[in-house]
Amino acid sequence: MDTPGTLRNPPEPPGTLRNFELFLFLSLVRLIFGPFTKLIMQRDLLLGAEAIGQGAIDGGISGVYAYPGTPSTEITEYIQANEVAVSRNIHRMWSANEKTAFEAALGMSYAGKRSLVCMKHVGLNVAADPFMNACVTGVNGGLVLAVADDPSMHSSQNEQDSRYYGRFGLVPILEPSNQQEAYDMVYSGLELSEQLKVPVVLRITTRLAHSRSGVVRKPLKLENLLRIPENPKQFLLLPAYARKYYQDLLGKQDLMKTLSEASPWNLYREGKDKSLGIICCGIAWNYLMENFGEKDAPHPVVKISQYPLPETLVKRLEEECDELLVLEEGYPLVEEQLTDFFGKGKKVSGRLNGLLPRAGELNPDHVARALGLAVSSGPAVPEVVANRPPALCQGCGHQDVYYALNVAISEYGDGRVFSDIGCYTLGALQPYDSIDTCVDMGASITMAKGASDAGLIPSFAVIGDSTFTHSGITGLLDCVVENTNINVIILDNEAVAMTGGQDSSAAGRIEEICAGVGVAPEHIRLVVPLKKNHEEMVRALREEIAFPGVSVIIARRPCIQKIAREKKEKGNR
Ligand SMILES: Cc1ncc(C[n+]2csc(CCOP(=O)(O)OP(=O)(O)O)c2C)c(N)n1
Ligand code: SF4
């Protein structure tokens, strides 16, 4: 900063030649570099999920395929609303489930174009079959699988770690530590996928998906041209081909490791205190940095955001430090790889040895405690916002169904209502206390079938319209084939309400699907779940309980939240 008396070049009066030259020079710079600087420096404030959507668009995808699921939903919603995606007509409609989504993305890759497929962690269980096999066939156009894990189960039925799927499939895993990396990793991940000819897994967790930060974008790429695979048998997994492709996949492992070693997202950071070496995976890097502010950690740190594990970096840390601490979100995947089976090796701490909690999300406080630092958690959460249990909205049609169901089955005793996953799972709570199970999407019909087979009659399945088309239809077919004594209630609110009211693939199709699967038309009943129809609903339920075969009762009334949202949107137009 200049101080008084140090002014060496006093300003020239306006209008001099010098000012004019400067003006000309700046105008020229602006003219030549303006468009580029604007492009290069554009910084958008994006959720992690949105950064992935933007990275995929800029990276040249021709399609996103997904089934909603927290915390992955916003990736697809961002692409659906994006002007470039709309003008390019990038495929962006929801799929019926994660398996169909993955397969469609693979088909787009087969045709030479780039695709993104998104799901929550449990969705990858549903898509595991095409995923594992796509790792063997490989890809043609780049394919990135964005999978969002939910440690602490904020809105999920478990907290599995999707990095294991990447390891299982023997393909690269990218794990961003912030929103910028999330963007960069999809953008470059599509290229990495084309370079290695395998799907690339991008694993994020809830905090990253749902927090914002500035993201600098890269130039928008052109979409790939249509181009079928050079090897016309690439996607033909007959054993004779599959054996060869599996060998090819094994043959790529060394290159994957080399790329991990050289990855700009993996790094070794020096630290003077070598009594401890720290390994941070993905967002855990952020949690460590939050503890040290602008200052570097006193210990050497290896940041891992691309797998397979960058062995050279990890070995260097192991050789230089007395002990190791592994900070990772999810399961102890890296810690397990480093821990000596017989306990004779170097001490490795983390989630396995109890220094960090074995379950749930990590946070900066956990990291501070593990490092023996003071914990400053900030002010306590005011009671007014703490611990509000979820509840069905007042006026929700699901309530009316539960009140009727409770009456209809009261004489048979408890323990016979198999539910599924959706808003209606809240029927487990008071005052309804109507359902007994919730395991995975589609399990209501199949579990009720098994219980009925075992002699538990009547046996009820309660399933939402979206969950029915996600994975209920095949279970219903099993029931029809065996003429199972079962009562299925499909709660048709014409929306995927639990994840924000997306359009349901089932809309306007449920009766036809049930009839197509083979349910007798006279046992496909339609009711409107309203207070005034209580008696009629109880009667319909009792009549179907008396029928010793497959019956489906469709309770149709639109989700009131979706109606309210649509009204508001109309008003804003
Ligand atoms: C395999 C899997 N994919 C996605 C989800 C996220 N999810 C939970 S319920 C649900 C759908 C709910 O829709 P619907 O069955 O129509 O019930 P509603 O919420 O509308 O009552 C979704 C997508 C999940 N839990 N599991
Ligand atoms: S969002 Fe819709 S389906 Fe869910 S509880 Fe509210 S009204 Fe019912």
Side-chain angles (χ1 to χ4, degrees):
M1 196 174 85
D2 280 337
T3 48
T6 62
L7 200 62
R8 286 188 200 116
N9 298 311
E12 302 205 19
T16 61
L17 190 61
R18 222 193 133 105
N19 262 354
F20 182 63
E21 281 168 348
L22 189 67
F23 170 76
L24 258 185
F25 173 69
L26 286 176
S27 305
L28 256 175
V29 167
R30 225 171 274 142
L31 196 74
I32 298 168
F33 294 108
F36 298 105
T37 43
K38 195 173 167 216
L39 200 66
I40 292 164
M41 292 316 295
Q42 187 166 347
R43 191 178 280 270
D44 297 347
L45 190 62
L46 297 178
L47 294 176
E50 295 173 341
I52 292 171
Q54 188 63 59
I57 295 165
D58 292 345
I61 55 159
S62 299
V64 60
Y65 294 88
Y67 182 72
T70 310
S72 70
T73 311
E74 290 84 356
I75 305 173
T76 306
E77 288 182 334
Y78 182 84
I79 297 174
Q80 286 171 339
N82 182 275
E83 277 177 23
V84 173
V86 173
S87 70
R88 283 188 167 186
N89 201 18
I90 288 174
H91 176 277
R92 54 195 185 281
M93 276 188 67
W94 293 108
S95 304
N97 65 36
E98 294 85 353
K99 181 176 184 288
T100 64
F102 195 101
E103 288 156 351
L106 189 64
M108 182 161 272
S109 161
Y110 171 96
K113 304 217 173 185
R114 293 177 168 178
S115 58
L116 174 71
V117 52
C118 316
M119 57 197 65
K120 69 182 290 167
H121 58 311
V122 283
L124 188 46
N125 300 335
V126 177
D129 196 10
F131 167 72
M132 289 301 294
N133 290 312
C135 295
V136 179
T137 62
V139 303
N140 187 22
L143 190 158
V144 169
L145 161 67
V147 55
D149 293 356
D150 186 18
S152 279
M153 306 179 222
H154 296 288
S155 23
S156 306
Q157 63 270 42
N158 75 28
E159 62 168 39
Q160 67 193 50
D161 185 332
S162 298
R163 292 178 300 169
Y164 281 87
Y165 269 113
R167 230 166 106 70
F168 196 18
L170 301 171
V171 295
I173 308 159
L174 304 176
E175 191 187 10
S177 66
N178 58 37
Q179 285 71 8
Q180 181 67 58
E181 283 188 354
Y183 172 90
D184 294 340
M185 284 176 174
V186 192
Y187 190 88
S188 307
L190 290 160
E191 275 169 15
L192 180 65
S193 167
E194 281 175 10
Q195 179 192 355
L196 289 165
K197 288 201 154 291
V198 294
V200 166
V201 176
L202 178 85
R203 184 251 188 172
I204 57 165
T205 52
T206 311
R207 295 287 153 184
L208 189 91
H210 288 170
S211 58
R212 283 182 195 279
S213 124
V215 172
V216 178
R217 287 172 50 192
K218 293 175 161 43
L220 175 66
K221 286 187 192 167
L222 292 175
E223 291 176 61
N224 283 358
L225 297 176
L226 204 61
R227 174 177 49 89
I228 60 165
E230 268 169 36
N231 168 10
K233 310 277 190 267
Q234 183 189 333
F235 290 81
L236 202 51
L237 287 187
L238 288 169
Y241 295 122
R243 283 185 207 113
K244 177 184 178 315
Y245 301 156
Y246 183 53
Q247 285 300 330
D248 291 347
L249 178 62
L250 295 176
K252 290 175 191 169
Q253 298 304 302
D254 282 346
L255 177 57
M256 287 182 204
K257 277 186 200 155
T258 307
L259 292 172
S260 272
E261 299 287 356
S263 166
W265 300 305
N266 292 341
L267 56 89
Y268 187 101
R269 184 175 270 190
E270 289 288 356
K272 282 195 187 123
D273 183 353
K274 304 213 164 149
S275 60
L276 183 72
I278 305 174
I279 294 171
C280 294
C281 306
I283 198 169
W285 168 260
N286 234 324
Y287 297 156
L288 183 71
M289 292 303 131
E290 280 201 33
N291 271 291
F292 292 101
E294 291 300 302
K295 288 178 286 167
D296 290 347
H299 308 286
V301 183
V302 167
K303 169 181 180 286
I304 299 176
S305 280
Q306 180 168 343
Y307 307 76
L309 217 54
E311 280 173 18
T312 316
L313 298 183
V314 175
K315 273 189 184 143
R316 182 178 160 196
L317 194 76
E318 204 260 20
E319 278 160 17
E320 289 183 2
C321 301
D322 301 340
E323 289 183 20
L324 298 180
L325 168 66
V326 185
L327 305 174
E328 54 193 325
E329 190 70 291
Y331 290 9
L333 176 135
V334 171
E335 191 183 343
E336 238 168 25
Q337 285 180 69
L338 302 184
T339 304
D340 183 0
F341 188 75
F342 293 108
K344 290 179 192 157
K346 190 152 283 186
K347 185 174 174 196
V348 180
S349 296
R351 285 180 179 270
L352 272 181
N353 79 341
L355 190 62
L356 291 160
R358 176 65 180 79
E361 275 186 306
L362 272 192
N363 63 38
D365 287 354
H366 291 134
V367 175
R369 278 189 207 104
L371 290 168
L373 302 172
V375 174
S376 58
S377 299
V381 180
E383 240 174 65
V384 67
V385 291
N387 284 334
R388 279 184 296 179
L392 289 171
C393 303
Q394 278 310 311
C396 171
H398 297 342
Q399 296 174 317
D400 299 295
V401 173
Y402 286 138
Y403 289 133
L405 180 61
N406 284 355
V407 174
I409 61 169
S410 54
E411 62 200 86
Y412 301 98
D414 291 339
R416 49 187 77 241
V417 182
F418 299 85
S419 176
D420 232 294
I421 308 182
C423 284
Y424 48 88
T425 315
L426 295 170
L429 308 178
Q430 294 298 339
Y432 323 102
D433 193 14
S434 302
I435 63 164
D436 303 299
T437 69
C438 162
V439 178
D440 63 82
M441 287 190 77
S444 58
I445 298 180
T446 31
M447 283 185 72
K449 177 184 187 305
S452 168
D453 292 345
L456 190 73
I457 292 166
S459 195
F460 271 87
V462 175
I463 187 166
D465 52 326
S466 177
T467 304
F468 177 63
T469 44
H470 178 282
S471 47
I473 300 172
T474 43
L476 185 61
L477 180 62
D478 279 351
C479 297
V480 168
V481 168
E482 295 186 36
N483 194 27
T484 308
N485 190 344
I486 188 177
N487 303 103
V488 178
I489 302 178
I490 301 180
L491 300 168
D492 183 10
N493 56 6
E494 298 175 351
V496 195
M498 196 182 200
T499 48
Q502 294 80 14
D503 291 335
S504 162
S505 308
R509 297 191 171 89
I510 293 182
E511 286 91 328
E512 278 177 39
I513 292 172
C514 294
V517 162
V519 181
E522 61 276 24
H523 292 289
I524 302 174
R525 310 274 296 257
L526 182 66
V527 296
V528 180
L530 281 167
K531 222 184 220 166
K532 65 175 184 182
N533 297 337
H534 177 80
E535 291 306 327
E536 182 197 328
M537 282 194 287
V538 174
R539 206 177 319 119
L541 286 163
R542 282 186 173 142
E543 282 168 12
E544 294 309 329
I545 289 172
F547 170 65
V550 183
S551 76
V552 175
I553 295 178
I554 302 165
R556 177 168 300 139
R557 177 151 76 83
C559 162
I560 53 175
Q561 295 295 350
K562 191 171 186 193
I563 294 176
R565 247 190 324 268
E566 284 170 355
K567 259 191 194 156
K568 201 169 157 194
E569 279 164 17
K570 247 187 202 167
N572 290 341
R573 264 186 239 138

